[in-house]
Amino acid sequence: MNRELLREIIEQEVGYYKISLQDTQANIYGESLQKTFLPPVLINCLLTQADQVVSIDDFGPDLQRNLSFAFLRDDLVDANLIPEVGDIILIYEQYYEVDTVKENQYFFGKDPSYNYGRSDRFGNSISIVCDAHLTRADKLGITRVR
């Protein structure tokens, strides 16, 4: 029922970019200034937007916004996608970098992997929520091609 709701009624689809660890060169500290991303995966989600905040400094105005993306866990499994901090999500022609990944919504409120020796027949992970912030496209090096 959740899948039908997301696909047929809400119809909110985003492009999810995973970091390609094989193609990204890291320095001796394990950091990288130039990241390489795999092609985007289109996936449905439920979006929660925070208000836009404009800050002004010596370089001029800067737009900031945080978004929360809720994905159905089954959709992520079908897409062979594991959300991680640092991934990029494209929506409204804007790029958002994932800050946190939360998996704490369970069917019946029960985590089947933590059951104190009782039956694990009940309970299931329903969704994964990614909190992200707006980031500049030129910082990422992702460009659209026809």
Side-chain angles (χ1 to χ4, degrees):
M1 188 165 66
N2 289 336
R3 266 191 183 170
E4 185 177 343
L5 178 68
L6 277 179
R7 289 181 182 168
E8 305 299 328
I9 298 181
I10 296 174
E11 295 181 346
Q12 185 66 61
E13 196 171 48
V14 297
Y16 198 101
Y17 290 85
K18 290 289 297 173
I19 294 175
S20 174
L21 295 177
Q22 295 86 356
D23 299 324
T24 299
Q25 298 294 324
N27 61 18
I28 60 172
Y29 303 107
E31 301 168 338
S32 177
L33 297 176
Q34 191 69 18
K35 297 176 184 171
T36 304
F37 296 92
L38 297 172
V41 174
L42 295 177
I43 191 161
N44 292 304
C45 73
L46 184 62
L47 180 68
T48 305
Q49 298 184 29
D51 291 335
Q52 293 180 346
V53 176
V54 177
S55 62
I56 301 175
D57 58 11
D58 295 338
F59 300 107
D62 187 28
L63 175 67
Q64 300 170 357
R65 173 179 257 175
N66 293 333
L67 267 70
S68 180
F69 301 89
F71 301 100
L72 283 177
R73 189 174 191 287
D74 291 340
D75 285 350
L76 293 172
V77 169
D78 291 348
N80 195 24
L81 187 65
I82 300 172
E84 296 175 304
V85 172
D87 291 345
I88 301 297
I89 301 173
L90 172 65
I91 186 167
Y92 306 133
E93 301 299 322
Q94 295 178 327
Y95 296 93
Y96 291 84
E97 185 174 354
V98 175
D99 296 321
T100 59
V101 178
K102 300 178 282 189
E103 185 176 9
N104 58 6
Q105 294 179 334
Y106 298 105
F107 190 64
F108 291 127
K110 180 183 176 298
D111 181 357
S113 64
Y114 187 72
N115 61 11
Y116 278 129
R118 296 182 180 159
S119 172
D120 61 352
R121 294 182 329 184
F122 302 104
N124 192 14
S125 176
I126 298 172
S127 69
I128 295 179
V129 179
C130 297
D131 294 327
H133 69 275
L134 182 63
T135 188
R136 292 184 182 2
D138 58 348
K139 175 182 161 189
L140 300 173
I142 298 175
T143 56
R144 287 186 66 183
V145 293
R146 290 196 233 180

